[in-house]
């Protein structure tokens, strides 16, 4: 492979070259940094590039590779969403309110990757506090979709998705509270996995909605996704919500064989108003899996799905209103100092938070307030229970469920910024997963108008193995995941 194409490598291809010493971590890191220089002015996916520390980590990785006993991700450059705490490197959450905040510690996922001598190249742009579906709510700048620079990359992990689709690194990390990994993965034509609630530690992940948030990978293909999951999964002593569940070697499930697996297709995910090409691509993907030997059941119904959006927009803002109460300018971040504490806090929060974040704080505070709690928050929790029970029944019957990741492909920048309801609707197909705490995968399955379409697969709690198995088999039979934007 010629030196100017190194950034296009998958993890599994790069790993072979690194371990056989045909390629050095230094060369690979330089290739990615050059790619960043080449595309970043147009893409704007990154908030911070850590060139010096990345090259130092690369040299360290090369020493490790020389021992002949290096870990699977040694020497592999990655990009982290800017809500993962990184020691000594500013972490903004896409917000002004964290201005100047430099964490004194690494998030567990970052620590686990660095311990393997993976290389942290940059921090990615995002919607402020992960609230949004387009990355236009970043306090800094919007990110562009590498397939069409006039379109959004999705959100809230739009920077991580766009950066990977443009080959700025070999994988990236995002977070998914209501679709923020899967929706941008779908919009940018890469693989994105939202793990089971509890599968991956959230220590050092800045909280948005704690009963929904999960960290997960973006990868160029399913095999790479499995390799990253191997590295980041597992219980962590610093996160009491991380589950004491054994982590298998996810790569062992990638057999290419789906014979005998039962795939359910819930009709609530094929709605009026979705883009016809999206429906067609996803139906073709499902038909292909059927020809490959899976049994497909198209009569599945999850009737409470229609309440998921409303329940999510009570639960997530309620939790956000509590989580974001800590930003008062007293100990860190952006601060206005006025005559009294009250004036100072009001000015700090008033100027430090963007509009969408304020909208969520107000919605959540209202939903939790005395007299309204039962009508909104408690009701939403009851709906949450119904949705979870429906999934449980479905997974007693089917191994995975298949549907589109989003009802449309990426929309134009600015198309939905003045209409929050339209923006929220972009997540109708992804929110139920977070409400139920189950895992789901998005992978490329076609194009509409030159923009990628995402196929979504859902499975029961801690059954990421099934998602990866089916996703990988699908990739073996198709070439969608190999398509690259020309930038
Ligand atoms: N777009 C959804 C929201 O704005 C989900 C965001 C996310 O998953 N972080 O809340």
């Amino acid at each position: 492979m010629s030196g100017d194409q190194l950034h296009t490598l998958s993890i599994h291809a790069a790993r072979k070259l690194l371990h056989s010493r045909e390629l050095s971590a230094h060369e690979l890191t330089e290739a990615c940094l050059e790619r960043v220089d080449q595309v970043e002015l147009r893409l704007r996916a990154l908030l911070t590039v850590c060139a010096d520390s990345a090259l130092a980590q690369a040299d360290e990785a090369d020493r490790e590779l020389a021992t002949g006993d290096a870990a699977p991700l040694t020497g592999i450059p990655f990009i982290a969403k800017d809500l993962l705490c990184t020691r000594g490197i500013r972490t903004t959450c896409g917000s002004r309110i964290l201005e100047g905040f430099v964490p004194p510690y690494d998030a567990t996922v970052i620590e686990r990757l660095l311990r393997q001598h993976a290389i942290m190249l940059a921090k990615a742009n995002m919607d402020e506090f992960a609230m949004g579906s387009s990355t236009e709510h970043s306090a800094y700048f919007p990110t562009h979709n590498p397939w069409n620079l006039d379109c959004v990359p999705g959100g809230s992990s739009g920077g991580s998705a766009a950066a990977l689709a443009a080959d700025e690194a070999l994988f990236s990390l995002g977070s998914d509270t209501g679709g923020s990994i899967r929706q941008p993965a779908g919009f940018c034509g890469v693989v994105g996995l939202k793990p089971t609630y509890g599968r991956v530690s959230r220590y050092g992940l800045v909280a948005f909605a704690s009963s929904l948030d999960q960290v997960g990978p973006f990868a160029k293909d399913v095999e790479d996704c499995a390799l990253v999951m191997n590295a980041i999964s597992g219980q962590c002593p610093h996160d009491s919500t991380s589950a004491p569940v054994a982590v298998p070697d996810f790569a062992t499930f990638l057999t290419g064989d789906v014979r005998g697996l039962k795939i359910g297709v819930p009709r609530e995910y094929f709605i009026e108003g979705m883009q016809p090409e999206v429906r067609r691509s996803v139906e073709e993907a499902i038909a292909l899996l059927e020809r490959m030997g899976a049994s497909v059941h198209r009569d599945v119904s999850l009737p409470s799905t229609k309440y998921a959006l409303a329940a999510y927009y009570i639960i997530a803002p309620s939790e956000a209103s509590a989580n974001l109460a800590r930003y008062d300018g007293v100990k860190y971040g952006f601060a206005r100092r006025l005559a009294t504490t009250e004036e100072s806090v009001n000015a700090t929060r008033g100027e430090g938070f963007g509009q969408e974040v304020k909208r969520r704080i107000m919605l959540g505070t209202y939903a939790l307030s005395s007299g309204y709690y039962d009508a909104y928050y408690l009701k939403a929790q009851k709906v949450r229970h119904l949705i979870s029970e429906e999934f449980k029944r479905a997974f007693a019957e089917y191994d995975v469920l298949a549907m589109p990741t989003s009802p449309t492909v990426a929309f134009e920048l600015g198309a939905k910024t003045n209409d929050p309801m339209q923006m929220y609707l972009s997540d109708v197909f992804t929110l139920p997963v977070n409400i139920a705490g189950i895992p789901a995968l998005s992978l490329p399955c076609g194009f509409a108008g030159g923009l990628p379409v995402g196929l979504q697969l859902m499975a029961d709690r801690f059954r990421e193995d099934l998602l990866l198995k089916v996703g990988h088999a699908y990739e073996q039979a198709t070439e969608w995941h190999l398509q690259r934007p020309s930038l």
Side-chain angles (χ1 to χ4, degrees):
M1 163 161 279
S2 75
D4 60 352
Q5 291 301 309
L6 290 173
H7 56 276
T8 64
L9 287 170
S10 63
I11 300 175
H12 52 91
R15 176 185 167 186
K16 284 203 193 86
L17 297 172
L18 288 165
H19 285 250
S20 64
R21 321 278 347 262
E22 288 162 79
L23 169 68
S24 73
H26 194 95
E27 285 171 296
L28 183 57
T29 304
E30 272 191 334
C32 289
L33 288 168
E34 271 165 33
R35 179 66 176 167
V36 168
D37 282 343
Q38 192 188 7
V39 299
E40 196 47 32
L41 277 177
R42 285 170 287 157
L43 200 63
R44 311 228 68 193
L46 307 178
L47 290 170
T48 305
V49 179
C50 324
D52 294 342
S53 57
L55 288 168
Q57 287 168 6
D59 293 337
E60 191 65 36
D62 280 324
R63 283 192 283 279
E64 187 64 22
L65 285 158
T67 66
D69 190 28
L73 297 182
T74 302
I76 303 291
F78 71 97
I79 290 170
K81 187 176 183 178
D82 208 20
L83 46 36
L84 289 164
C85 285
T86 44
R87 187 158 53 95
I89 294 167
R90 75 171 187 151
T91 298
T92 68
C93 251
S95 182
R96 261 197 96 188
I97 209 151
L98 277 170
E99 205 171 84
F101 172 59
V102 178
Y105 67 103
D106 281 322
T108 296
V109 287
I110 301 287
E111 193 203 285
R112 287 187 178 176
L113 292 170
L114 294 181
R115 212 190 301 144
Q116 286 213 10
H117 297 282
I119 291 155
M120 198 179 74
L121 210 67
K123 303 290 297 284
N125 196 19
M126 55 181 285
D127 285 300
E128 186 175 1
F129 284 101
M131 297 172 189
S133 311
S134 68
T135 316
E136 291 165 296
H137 296 318
S138 164
Y140 299 92
F141 43 77
T143 295
H144 300 256
N145 189 308
W147 292 93
N148 178 343
L149 295 171
D150 295 329
C151 291
V152 303
S156 64
S157 314
S160 303
L164 185 69
D167 288 315
E168 291 185 327
L170 274 64
F171 72 96
S172 59
L173 294 178
S175 67
D176 191 313
T177 303
S180 280
I181 291 176
R182 290 159 287 151
Q183 186 255 24
F187 279 16
C188 291
V190 293
V191 174
L193 176 66
K194 182 259 172 214
T196 308
Y197 186 80
R199 176 64 99 182
V200 177
S201 168
R202 302 180 303 168
Y203 178 69
L205 165 77
V206 179
F208 163 10
S210 304
S211 75
L212 303 162
D213 299 339
Q214 249 305 275
V215 183
F218 289 93
K220 294 182 189 180
D221 61 27
V222 172
E223 183 175 349
D224 280 6
C225 188
L227 295 174
V228 180
M229 282 299 289
N230 282 348
I232 64 175
S233 301
Q235 201 185 9
C236 156
H238 301 302
D239 176 2
S240 61
T241 66
S242 69
V245 173
V247 180
D249 176 355
F250 289 110
T252 60
F253 303 107
L254 312 181
T255 59
D257 186 6
V258 292
R259 277 172 303 169
L261 283 177
K262 290 175 84 179
I263 300 179
V265 184
R267 67 173 83 100
E268 288 78 8
Y269 289 81
F270 293 82
I271 51 171
E272 276 305 288
M274 68 190 287
Q275 226 169 303
E277 298 98 314
V278 169
R279 177 194 285 264
R280 196 175 329 122
S281 298
V282 171
E283 281 172 353
E284 279 171 13
I286 294 168
L288 175 60
L289 288 166
E290 194 168 28
R291 289 199 297 282
M292 291 167 67
S295 69
V296 173
H297 303 261
R298 294 186 175 78
D299 48 358
V300 180
S301 176
L302 298 166
S304 299
T305 303
K306 59 178 176 291
Y307 304 121
L309 186 83
Y312 173 87
Y313 276 98
I314 296 294
I315 295 168
S318 295
E319 294 181 16
S321 72
N323 273 328
L324 271 59
R326 70 186 62 147
Y327 303 106
D328 54 13
V330 174
K331 286 193 176 148
Y332 54 86
F334 173 81
R336 282 269 174 263
R337 304 260 183 257
L338 300 174
T340 66
T341 304
E342 190 178 339
E343 283 172 308
S344 302
V345 171
N346 282 345
T348 298
R349 290 172 65 83
E351 292 171 43
F353 286 132
Q355 277 216 341
E356 182 62 27
V357 173
K358 286 184 201 167
R359 182 181 293 124
R360 305 286 177 107
I361 292 174
M362 285 189 272
L363 272 171
T365 307
Y366 182 80
L368 291 177
S369 59
S370 155
Y372 295 99
Y373 180 93
D374 288 3
Y376 295 110
Y377 188 73
L378 198 62
K379 185 79 153 272
Q381 292 291 18
K382 288 180 180 167
V383 170
R384 182 172 200 169
H385 181 72
L386 288 178
I387 291 172
S388 303
E389 288 297 306
E390 274 178 20
F391 274 121
K392 208 188 263 173
R393 281 197 293 276
F395 291 124
E397 199 72 33
Y398 310 104
D399 295 299
V400 303
L401 300 174
M403 65 281 282
T405 305
S406 307
T408 68
V409 293
F411 42 89
E412 279 186 21
L413 282 150
K416 302 189 180 189
T417 33
N418 294 322
D419 190 344
M421 196 57 202
Q422 280 306 314
M423 191 71 92
Y424 298 170
L425 276 168
S426 143
D427 300 315
V428 272
F429 295 163
T430 48
L431 302 165
V433 159
N434 303 74
I435 289 180
I438 58 174
L441 181 73
S442 177
L443 69 162
C445 74
F447 286 88
L451 289 160
V453 176
L455 165 70
Q456 181 172 216
L457 302 171
M458 302 177 181
D460 204 359
R461 291 171 58 77
F462 298 105
R463 295 311 305 270
E464 288 87 353
D465 59 314
L466 290 169
L467 301 176
L468 296 166
K469 185 186 193 64
V470 176
H472 174 258
Y474 176 75
E475 274 185 357
Q476 299 313 103
T478 55
E479 298 202 327
W480 303 115
H481 64 291
L482 301 175
Q483 310 298 315
R484 284 296 205 299
S486 57
L487 259 176

